[in-house]
Amino acid sequence: MILWMLNHLSTFLLGVVLVGGFVTLAILGSLAARRRFPHLAGGEHNEMVGVALGMFGAIYGIILAFVVVTLWTQLENTQTIVATEATDLALVVRSADAFPPADRARLDRAVGDYVHAVVDIQWPLMREGRPSYEATAEQTRALYTALQSFEPAGPRSETFYGEAAGRLNDVAAQRRARVTMAESSLPMLLQVLVYGGALVILPLTFLFGLRSLKMQLLFVSAVAGLIGFSLLLVMAMDRPFAGDLAVSPAPYKEAALAQFWG
């Protein structure tokens, strides 16, 4: 459900739905509580409710901060993996400039096929939460075949061949890391704590009584808005290849790899 919303709704619209939904729920819940229990407006239970809100709020805040930092780090690591893979591919192309024309053309063709498979085939699958190693398996084998078919002659070609081989091995490693990151999401236990915690804290605000109805609604709306925005942040960063904050495939179309997108 979350993945579908990230791929079909903009972050702004998702924020309107999530934050607006929490604020509306808070207002309706607070009005219902005051109507059902009129004595709450007198603040008879404010001390007890305040202690409970402070305790649960502190625990929830720590959990939420941990989750946000973890997801942000995961997003940055994914961006680094993608950029590193694209850089290694570009360096393979650069190293191939020292090869004879026929061998260079064969390797360039294999690199071009690979980047197109990553962007056109594998990327949509990762965005949908269905990453597949097989989507680029054939192109990966073709890269190794193209490089292994070249027999370096002389120190210069041997040096660049070794460089290309090392970079190609790095590409394979980054490819595996990228697909692994596409499979990652917030563990179920943390999802229960993050989303369930919001549903525990919000009703507690209904019990905090203020004589002024406007101030009461302002209080619960502010808490609900903060919770909704926090959950929006968690949702937007939970899947590194989905939503408006998704990692972009742009590095595979830049620098030395731009020639394959003419």
Side-chain angles (χ1 to χ4, degrees):
M1 182 61 178
I2 292 177
L3 190 60
W4 184 90
M5 289 191 295
L6 287 173
N7 286 329
H8 292 83
L9 300 178
S10 67
T11 301
F12 175 77
L13 184 56
L14 190 58
V16 170
V17 172
L18 194 60
V19 177
F22 267 89
V23 171
T24 301
L25 178 62
I27 291 175
L28 294 178
S30 184
L31 290 173
R34 284 175 71 103
R35 180 174 298 180
R36 179 67 177 82
F37 306 104
H39 64 279
L40 289 177
E44 299 177 15
H45 308 292
N46 282 2
E47 185 176 349
M48 179 186 67
V49 174
V51 171
L53 273 174
M55 180 181 66
F56 283 114
I59 296 173
Y60 184 69
I62 292 173
I63 294 173
L64 198 58
F66 168 76
V67 169
V68 169
V69 170
T70 299
L71 292 178
W72 179 254
T73 302
Q74 173 182 287
L75 186 62
E76 286 189 321
N77 289 342
T78 305
Q79 291 172 333
T80 300
I81 289 170
V82 168
T84 302
E85 182 183 11
T87 300
D88 287 333
L89 282 168
L91 291 175
V92 170
V93 173
R94 298 294 190 192
S95 297
D97 288 342
F99 298 175
D103 296 293
R104 182 174 67 247
R106 183 165 53 249
L107 186 56
D108 283 350
R109 186 164 52 251
V111 172
D113 291 343
Y114 179 83
V115 295
H116 275 278
V118 169
V119 176
D120 298 334
I121 301 174
Q122 197 166 47
W123 214 269
L125 293 175
M126 295 191 299
R127 183 177 177 85
E128 295 170 4
R130 300 184 293 110
S132 170
Y133 287 105
E134 294 304 316
T136 53
E138 181 181 345
Q139 290 77 12
T140 302
R141 287 192 293 269
L143 278 171
Y144 277 97
T145 300
L147 185 61
Q148 290 167 355
S149 64
F150 171 60
E151 289 291 341
R156 181 172 179 272
S157 59
E158 288 178 359
T159 298
F160 283 101
Y161 178 83
E163 174 68 14
R167 294 296 179 176
L168 186 54
N169 287 332
D170 291 340
V171 167
Q174 299 302 329
R175 166 178 170 266
R176 176 170 291 275
R178 170 170 51 79
V179 174
T180 298
M181 295 302 288
E183 295 173 336
S184 65
S185 63
L186 201 62
M188 182 56 66
L189 179 58
L190 284 179
Q191 289 189 37
V192 171
L193 288 173
V194 170
Y195 298 109
L199 298 179
V200 170
I201 292 178
L202 191 58
L204 284 176
T205 62
F206 305 162
L207 305 178
F208 195 84
L210 294 173
R211 294 189 183 279
S212 171
L213 178 59
K214 290 183 178 179
M215 293 302 297
Q216 174 84 30
L217 297 182
L218 181 62
F219 169 70
V220 297
S221 296
V223 174
L226 180 60
I227 292 176
F229 184 79
S230 300
L231 295 183
L232 172 65
L233 188 61
V234 171
M235 289 177 61
M237 295 192 300
D238 187 20
R239 299 284 185 154
F241 292 98
D244 290 345
L245 297 182
V247 177
S248 170
Y252 299 96
K253 301 180 180 181
E254 299 170 344
L257 302 181
Q259 62 181 302
F260 304 117
W261 299 91

